[in-house]
Amino acid sequence: MQKIVITGLGLVTPVGTGVKKSWESFVQGRNGANEMKSFDTSKYKVHRSCEVKDFHLDIELENQIKENTIHKYVYYAAREALQESGLMDKNNFNIERFGIAIGTLAAELTPFERLLRPDTSKKDNGFDRIVAAVYPPNSITNILAKYFGFEGPTMVSLNACSSGNHAIAWAYDLLIENKVDVVMVGGGDMIPQTEFTHFHNLKALAPEKCQPFDKNRQGLMIGEGAGILIMERYDFARKRGAPIIAEMRGYGLSCDGFHMTAPHPEGEGAVKCMSDAIRMVGLSPNDIGYVNAHGTGTPHNDKAETIAIKRVFSESAYKIPCSSTKSMIGHLMGAASAVESVVCCLVLKHGIIPPTINYETPDTECDLDYVPNVARELKVHHVLNNSFAFGGNNATTIFSRNDN
Amino acid sequence: MGKRVVITGIGVVSPLGCKKEDFWNGLIEGKSGIAPMTSLDLTNYKCKLGGEVRDLHPETHLGSKGLKYLNKGTRFLGSAAKMAIDDAKLPVDGSLSNVMGIVIGSSLGNYSETTDYFYEIIKGNPSELSPMRSYDVALNSSINYVSVIFKIKGLARTISAGFTSSTDAIGDAYKMIQRDMARVIIAGGVEQISIDLFLIFYIRGLLSGLDGKRELSTPFDKGRNGFVMSEGSYVVILEELQHAMERCAPIYAEVKGFGNTYVGGRDYTENERINRAKKAMSEAIEEANINERDITLISANACGCKIQDAVEAKAIQSLFGSNVSNVPISANKSNIGESYGTSGAAQIISAVMSVNTGIIPQIINHKENDPDFNLNLVLERPLKKEIRYAMINNMDYDGNNSCLVISIFNK
């Protein structure tokens, strides 16, 4: 069967703009949490989140993206990924075989909140063509298609926190089916006040810091940013001499079918999702060298995920490093699993496991190797990326080193 | 070759009624679901009409427990899904949980509740808003709701691709069953009328009546001047053939091919648009392993837009050549309007019913032929015709062209 490879990565995260800066921060264990700046939180009990800092549009970007929306993060990450993959110039290729799949939770909300809010007194709420143009979720794929000249099939995944992995799974199938040569995949989100309020009122937000798997964990922190991967058919990549960063091996999907907001307490859906992914790839659980946990930092998720990992990996669960990068960047919602997939590729590339920071007090119910506080050098061959969305909508992806 | 995929259930929440029979009888009786909009105050706008869902009683499908916390989109989808499940005689006792999935397309499902919520946030004290309002917040929550009440554990996916969202969802579900990712998938779309959606269409100049002329849904008509917006949820049960046979399920039709191309992102010439639309159709036909001459019904995207209808008509004419006059064309948007992210699923259900009954519903509101078109439109009365293969076109002006080919079921 045709191999599917990753040839370019792009990141905008609360701990750095660009892959290089973000990765340095991940390795150093930097905390991306800050006092909320993008809107006034005085009427809330929580005032912190993980915002993107020091993001400056260069002149080229400024000309392309006028509005303060998630498009600028996605655009930045996409351009970075395309530059690495060598696909900025597509003159020799059939661009109708270049597709796009992007996951987001609130793409349509940020333009609404950020552009409409000052104009609520005006006629039509100040609604104008610009707002309408950036409004529906699929405007993300249209903007990327326009800027980068991709003219193959597109989709936007609105699968909440597993959106990015769903987009990757969709792209994988399209590539395997040979409908396309290349798919730009990933996810992006900004912090909409609407989502902040939802999480806040559900008492899911941590007040100070995100502490996945810690005994005193108090919840998640909302984050923002974007992650993009260039996925292509191996033959296509090899023929054009592209740099091959990693191999995308397969995925597992599942659904808890249990509760509108809470995860299944025994991690039932998570078990199916991970097991299906491992089976699809043709590996055994012992082959997995690193798990990028969903690890949101909420009491329920981390406990259920730990149980699920033990059910899938049995005794070896204790030996597999399993960290949550959400401890540093927060929960990027629709972008989370895309960014974490980029992290997984970087783990394969650099042989370093990023830590779970803010880890202070062990929890007897969460007793795996979470790589506490300090990054670890470790060459791994296969990595697994979990994403378990609000309401039990799960997707797991597996990446491998290309030399296998 | 992958697994064969059949359609074993249908669920409809539409402006023509909230049963598949209401929808189908409405179509073949030439009824219109379009009426003056009641859920929106359109006093200050030129456009007044819409295809609203009027007589849905979600409690009969979903029970009354927790219903008050559900958004309109979730009520639509939950009800349509329940009707489709019942229609397919699917057990929901958990025995199929792990092999069952849900894939739903929508562009702005549950969106108006979200914008209302935001207005309350900026007006008042956000931390006092009830947490119960955070249970059903986005399209994703709608599918989670369905997965919870029907014990679906296989997979759950939402696809947003503007006007083609639901066709893309059904195409995606078909591919997943082919590859054995699931054996039964609830697939379709949901969309709801809201002031936000109205304004998007209004400001982009897409709605009929904006030019001061008649406000009417008139696909392929010379005087067409835009579409009339509508809402609803259209759901089918896609099932792996062997699975359907083993449990003696009713089989409506078989899904044979899916194709899609893209026209978003830049300005395309009419010819480029025609070629891309044609390519989506060719791909679906090729995948069905047939020739375009085998197609005996086209369920057209035709929403009444000046340019879009012309692109589609010319693409069909170019693909079918001299045979075009032999292929009857139906256009349900004449009856139900343009329901955005769920319009394709509505067309697919109509085509499935045609394949099943040998009746093609007529296009209503048609006054004058467009001299540029040379199409065999089904007008005035339903056409009786045995259909082996039907093709469903679904197009987004700034997005995908998606095409599905279905056939009558033969063992």
Side-chain angles (χ1 to χ4, degrees):
Chain A
M1 197 166 77
Q2 181 67 243
K3 285 205 288 187
I4 306 303
V5 293
I6 308 294
T7 60
L9 302 172
L11 277 182
V12 174
T13 74
V15 294
T17 297
V19 168
K20 191 166 175 285
K21 276 193 180 166
S22 285
W23 180 246
E24 280 169 11
S25 299
F26 283 131
V27 172
Q28 289 162 8
R30 271 186 59 197
N31 189 348
N34 59 282
E35 294 292 314
M36 192 74 172
K37 288 194 182 68
S38 58
F39 55 84
D40 174 18
T41 58
S42 58
K43 288 180 177 168
Y44 296 86
K45 293 189 185 79
V46 176
H47 310 285
R48 288 167 70 80
S49 68
C50 298
E51 291 176 297
V52 168
K53 298 152 198 83
D54 305 322
F55 182 88
H56 300 292
L57 295 171
D58 50 45
I59 288 166
E60 186 191 346
L61 273 169
E62 197 78 67
N63 289 335
Q64 304 276 22
I65 312 246
K66 304 264 190 291
E67 308 301 337
N68 185 28
T69 67
I70 78 158
H71 297 138
K72 64 181 187 181
Y73 296 158
V74 176
Y75 179 96
Y76 185 97
R79 189 179 61 170
E80 186 182 27
L82 277 176
Q83 278 166 347
E84 183 177 16
S85 75
L87 280 176
M88 284 299 274
D89 175 11
K90 288 169 288 296
N91 281 338
N92 300 318
F93 306 120
N94 176 6
I95 53 175
E96 287 182 51
R97 286 178 59 86
F98 281 44
I100 307 178
I102 300 294
T104 186
L105 182 139
E108 73 285 12
L109 273 177
T110 38
F112 173 79
E113 290 187 3
R114 283 161 200 251
L115 302 172
L116 279 183
R117 179 159 36 187
D119 297 331
T120 44
S121 61
K122 289 185 185 166
K123 183 174 174 281
D124 298 348
N125 300 324
F127 208 93
D128 65 21
R129 273 179 184 280
I130 298 164
V131 183
V134 294
Y135 209 71
N138 64 328
S139 63
I140 307 176
T141 44
N142 285 356
I143 281 173
L144 292 174
K146 184 170 126 200
Y147 293 152
F148 299 112
F150 276 46
E151 299 194 13
T154 62
M155 74 90 93
V156 172
S157 161
L158 298 180
N159 275 68
C161 313
S162 62
S163 301
N165 270 352
H166 265 280
I168 291 169
W170 182 89
Y172 177 84
D173 290 336
L174 215 61
L175 286 159
I176 287 288
E177 226 192 309
N178 201 10
K179 290 260 184 187
V180 288
D181 295 319
V182 176
V183 189
M184 181 195 291
V185 302
D189 259 315
M190 267 188 165
I191 303 175
Q193 192 172 350
T194 312
E195 294 304 324
F196 184 88
T197 311
H198 281 311
F199 284 120
H200 178 270
N201 292 0
L202 287 167
K203 299 191 166 51
L205 294 181
E208 275 300 315
K209 54 191 171 184
C210 179
Q211 299 181 276
F213 305 109
D214 188 284
K215 188 166 195 268
N216 301 316
R217 63 189 180 277
Q218 288 180 280
L220 58 86
M221 293 194 84
I222 300 192
E224 61 179 2
I228 296 283
L229 305 90
I230 306 299
M231 282 170 71
E232 49 189 299
R233 290 170 64 80
Y234 177 66
D235 285 354
F236 186 80
R238 198 182 49 183
K239 205 170 151 195
R240 67 180 192 85
I244 291 170
I245 301 163
E247 198 184 327
M248 164 57 200
R249 296 293 302 277
Y251 61 84
L253 308 174
S254 77
C255 183
D256 282 0
F258 171 72
H259 191 269
M260 290 282 278
T261 55
H264 190 282
E266 301 295 316
E268 195 180 278
V271 169
K272 179 182 180 299
C273 198
M274 285 187 266
S275 310
D276 284 0
I278 292 168
R279 197 177 312 118
M280 176 177 184
V281 172
L283 293 173
S284 94
N286 291 328
D287 297 325
I288 301 295
Y290 167 63
V291 173
N292 186 299
H294 186 56
T296 56
T298 63
H300 290 304
N301 174 82
D302 295 0
K303 185 181 164 192
E305 186 171 8
T306 299
I307 293 171
I309 290 171
K310 288 183 196 169
R311 285 174 63 184
V312 172
F313 294 92
S314 324
E315 273 307 302
S316 59
Y318 296 93
K319 294 181 204 137
I320 300 170
C322 160
S323 69
S324 168
T325 38
K326 289 188 179 75
S327 59
M328 295 176 264
I329 59 173
H331 194 339
L332 273 60
M333 301 174 288
S337 51
V339 166
E340 286 151 14
S341 288
V342 173
V343 169
C344 283
C345 291
L346 293 168
V347 166
L348 292 167
K349 181 179 171 183
H350 296 292
I352 302 174
I353 311 279
T356 304
I357 67 161
N358 301 325
Y359 188 87
E360 291 157 5
T361 315
D363 180 350
T364 49
E365 290 180 321
C366 298
D367 54 353
L368 301 177
D369 175 6
Y370 304 113
V371 196
N373 301 318
V374 182
R376 187 182 303 162
E377 279 191 39
L378 186 69
K379 193 173 170 184
V380 292
H381 291 274
H382 310 284
V383 299
L384 182 146
N385 177 22
N386 276 338
S387 61
F388 308 135
F390 202 59
N393 194 329
N394 314 308
T396 294
T397 48
I398 293 180
F399 300 86
S400 298
R401 283 174 68 99
N402 183 46
D403 54 14
N404 289 295
Chain B
M1 270 303 275
K3 307 268 183 196
R4 288 175 69 184
V5 183
V6 292
I7 294 171
T8 57
I10 292 172
V12 173
V13 170
S14 85
L16 288 172
C18 296
K19 280 192 213 135
K20 83 172 186 224
E21 292 80 10
D22 294 345
F23 173 67
W24 179 242
N25 292 335
L27 289 178
I28 57 178
E29 288 163 16
K31 285 187 183 159
S32 170
I34 307 297
M37 201 87 91
T38 57
S39 61
L40 304 180
D41 177 9
L42 300 180
T43 318
N44 297 322
Y45 300 95
K46 281 181 201 154
C47 305
K48 310 286 180 197
L49 302 181
E52 292 172 300
V53 169
R54 287 180 195 82
D55 54 355
L56 177 65
H57 301 285
E59 65 283 359
T60 60
H61 307 291
L62 307 171
S64 46
K65 187 172 163 251
L67 203 59
K68 65 178 172 181
Y69 301 117
L70 300 182
N71 292 331
K72 190 159 115 178
T74 306
R75 292 171 186 218
F76 285 3
L77 179 66
S79 302
K82 177 67 165 69
M83 286 185 261
I85 284 170
D86 288 347
D87 192 37
K89 301 182 172 60
L90 270 180
V92 284
D93 55 2
S95 58
L96 296 180
S97 284
N98 282 328
V99 297
M100 216 165 136
I102 176 166
V103 183
I104 297 298
S106 183
S107 204
L108 288 176
N110 283 343
Y111 190 60
S112 55
E113 287 85 353
T114 305
T115 55
D116 290 347
Y117 185 77
F118 179 66
Y119 279 122
E120 285 184 55
I121 289 173
I122 56 175
K123 275 187 297 193
N125 192 349
S127 53
E128 281 169 10
L129 294 169
S130 163
M132 289 314 287
R133 295 187 59 186
S134 303
Y135 276 70
D136 187 14
V137 293
L139 175 59
N140 184 61
S141 310
S142 301
I143 61 165
N144 287 335
Y145 171 75
V146 174
S147 73
V148 170
I149 58 169
F150 302 121
K151 303 184 181 70
I152 295 165
K153 302 194 174 180
L155 60 97
R157 175 178 283 180
T158 56
I159 289 184
S160 178
F163 290 91
T164 64
S165 301
S166 60
T167 307
D168 291 352
I170 290 172
D172 192 39
Y174 151 68
K175 296 279 175 184
M176 289 211 253
I177 296 176
Q178 267 194 333
R179 285 191 301 269
D180 208 18
M181 293 295 297
R183 303 195 83 190
V184 182
I185 296 183
I186 299 171
V190 60
E191 209 73 65
Q192 67 194 79
I193 285 175
S194 67
I195 191 68
D196 309 287
L197 191 54
F198 174 82
L199 284 172
I200 290 179
F201 295 147
Y202 189 84
I203 284 152
R204 287 188 186 173
L206 297 173
L207 296 173
S208 175
L210 274 176
D211 57 1
K213 295 184 182 149
R214 66 186 182 185
E215 190 180 354
L216 195 64
S217 183
T218 57
F220 294 129
D221 189 277
K222 190 180 176 217
R224 67 189 184 278
N225 62 350
F227 60 74
V228 178
M229 75 183 293
S230 75
E231 63 182 357
S233 179
Y234 301 85
V235 168
V236 291
I237 305 295
L238 294 185
E239 193 163 351
E240 191 270 314
L241 174 62
Q242 214 54 41
H243 192 268
M245 304 246 282
E246 275 162 22
R247 63 176 197 89
C248 302
I251 296 178
Y252 284 99
E254 182 169 358
V255 183
K256 301 295 282 187
F258 176 67
N260 67 345
T261 58
Y262 181 69
V263 287
R266 70 173 165 92
D267 292 330
Y268 295 81
T269 64
E270 190 187 56
N271 268 337
E272 281 177 316
R273 287 182 179 277
I274 293 167
N275 286 335
R276 296 274 169 101
K278 194 174 148 188
K279 195 175 156 215
M281 296 182 223
S282 307
E283 273 182 20
I285 289 169
E286 199 176 305
E287 191 173 290
N289 215 0
I290 55 170
N291 189 290
E292 62 270 6
R293 279 189 298 278
D294 299 315
I295 301 287
T296 41
L297 165 65
I298 298 171
S299 172
N301 177 72
C303 60
C305 275
K306 202 86 202 162
I307 300 171
Q308 188 87 328
D309 284 14
V311 167
E312 185 180 16
K314 289 171 187 175
I316 291 170
Q317 285 165 194
S318 166
L319 181 67
F320 288 82
S322 57
N323 189 43
V324 73
S325 54
N326 297 325
V327 195
I329 295 179
S330 71
N332 315 128
K333 287 175 191 167
S334 63
N335 312 70
I336 58 167
E338 171 60 79
S339 49
Y340 201 23
T342 192
S343 62
Q347 290 168 240
I348 289 165
I349 287 176
S350 165
V352 166
M353 293 302 292
S354 289
V355 164
N356 239 266
T357 58
I359 300 172
I360 302 171
Q362 68 277 33
I363 300 170
I364 63 168
N365 301 333
H366 194 83
K367 304 268 186 320
E368 192 180 351
N369 281 326
D370 187 318
D372 283 347
F373 305 162
N374 169 33
L375 302 171
N376 179 5
L377 304 178
V378 178
L379 302 171
E380 289 168 9
R381 67 190 69 79
L383 176 70
K384 284 200 173 156
K385 184 181 171 85
E386 196 187 325
I387 301 158
R388 288 206 53 208
Y389 291 93
M391 184 177 87
I392 300 99
N393 272 341
N394 197 195
M395 300 157 77
D396 189 316
Y397 193 75
D398 293 313
N400 292 341
N401 293 310
S402 300
C403 182
L404 196 77
V405 168
I406 62 169
S407 79
I408 198 160
F409 172 65
N410 284 315
K411 276 185 194 169

